[in-house]
Amino acid sequence: MSAKINEDCQLQQKQQQATPGKASSPNIPKEHPRYKAMMIRENIIKGCETKVVAPAGLIAQGRGEAFDYLIGEKTANFALDAIKAAACAFLLAEHPVISVNGNVAQIAAEDLVKLSKESGALLEINLFYRTPGREEAILKVLKEAGAETVLGLSEKSAVIKELASDRRIVDPDGIFKADMVFVPLEDGDRTEALVKLGKRVVTVDLNPLSRTPNCAHVSIIDNITRVLPLLTAQIKKYKKKKKQKLKKIYDGYSNKKILRDSLVFISKRLVKLSKGIC
């Protein structure tokens, strides 16, 4: 077995040497039970090579995969309830903004653009790791996905004083002005700062224990690649409802309950799985 592993490693090294700067793409069969997750993983790796994804984004992706295992890699009822509240938040907002980081842009650019167009929310690039050329690389990905206007690269800027990181620098016509900000795969400190500024915050996070979903007003505990199409469809459906009805749905939502439900779901699922272990 060890000899076979050594041979595979040597072959992979030869392939990488033959095409410097490019990782070899594994031949993942579509029949593989985790085909989608593995393709997303490969996509994130490619994004790291093109500067769209920061190296730390690889760690974030791995952590997300682990929690996706725990919820069964499916959208649960508690996530569907949060998606309904999130749709209301978008439609009730006067100036909604979608905050875009590298991981989200790399794995869900087309769905981000669809969400933006359906909801009327602006797209704004906002990064923790602002390395040279990275914002431009993300802009290219969004433009190729069909985005027309993308904020965050203008010479004009505003500052969120409550933050110390580079994420404090925002577009004055975007996040700074927004009354609702959608912050998928977000840093907890910025979520907390946006809430303190009186902005309604909606997030997507696979980890219900993270500070981000615990600070946000609406937390969708699910995989971003599953959430975005569902959220866009829900917004399209809810557009037919009156503002009063949307407000009633939103006001009846409890984020604390959703977080509790997600943890109970995970704990019960683990108990169930433990009984099937030989």
Side-chain angles (χ1 to χ4, degrees), residues 41-261:
R41 185 187 305 172
E42 291 303 314
N43 197 5
I44 285 287
I45 293 172
K46 289 178 181 177
C48 197
E49 295 169 357
T50 59
K51 295 184 178 181
V52 172
V53 176
L58 300 175
I59 299 172
Q61 174 63 24
R63 183 173 61 241
E65 279 193 41
F67 277 93
D68 211 2
Y69 272 136
L70 297 179
I71 65 172
E73 297 180 284
K74 293 180 181 179
T75 301
N77 287 334
F78 53 79
L80 293 174
D81 289 341
I83 286 171
K84 291 176 183 177
C88 293
F90 268 94
L91 294 172
L92 288 168
E94 295 293 330
H95 192 70
V97 173
I98 299 170
S99 181
V100 183
N101 64 21
N103 281 40
V104 178
Q106 182 63 27
I107 64 177
E110 291 185 4
D111 286 330
L112 275 180
V113 173
K114 289 177 182 177
L115 174 62
S116 173
K117 291 181 178 179
E118 188 65 49
S119 66
L122 298 171
L123 293 166
E124 179 175 340
I125 298 172
N126 186 270
L127 307 175
F128 188 89
Y129 298 100
R130 298 196 180 208
T131 53
R134 187 162 177 241
E135 289 171 314
E136 291 75 13
I138 295 173
L139 175 63
K140 181 181 178 182
V141 168
L142 293 174
K143 289 287 187 179
E144 289 176 349
E148 296 175 4
T149 301
V150 180
L151 304 178
L153 284 86
S154 172
E155 292 183 0
K156 298 187 300 179
S157 63
V159 176
I160 297 176
K161 297 179 181 179
E162 287 79 3
L163 281 174
S165 72
D166 283 346
R167 302 203 79 167
R168 69 186 185 279
I169 304 170
V170 296
D171 195 298
D173 296 320
I175 291 172
F176 189 78
K177 183 181 175 182
D179 57 345
M180 193 286 288
V181 188
F182 180 54
V183 287
L185 314 188
E186 185 57 71
D187 299 315
D189 59 341
R190 194 164 74 106
T191 300
E192 194 170 19
L194 292 173
V195 170
K196 286 181 179 179
L197 287 172
K199 301 179 188 298
R200 187 174 287 168
V201 180
V202 177
T203 191
V204 179
D205 198 316
L206 276 161
N207 178 6
L209 300 174
S210 173
R211 184 160 51 130
T212 301
N214 280 275
C215 290
H217 296 99
V218 179
S219 302
I220 307 169
I221 307 300
D222 197 15
N223 191 308
I224 185 72
T225 60
R226 295 193 294 269
V227 168
L228 292 180
L230 293 173
L231 178 56
T232 301
Q234 195 69 52
I235 288 172
K236 184 177 182 178
K237 179 181 178 181
Y238 274 9
K239 276 184 175 180
K240 302 174 184 177
K241 295 184 180 294
K242 295 181 179 180
K243 294 282 185 180
Q244 289 181 332
K245 181 65 174 178
L246 293 173
K247 191 174 186 303
K248 184 177 180 180
I249 294 171
Y250 182 82
D251 289 345
Y253 171 82
S254 170
N255 203 51
K256 288 184 178 180
K257 179 181 182 302
I258 291 301
L259 293 176
R260 284 197 298 266
D261 288 350

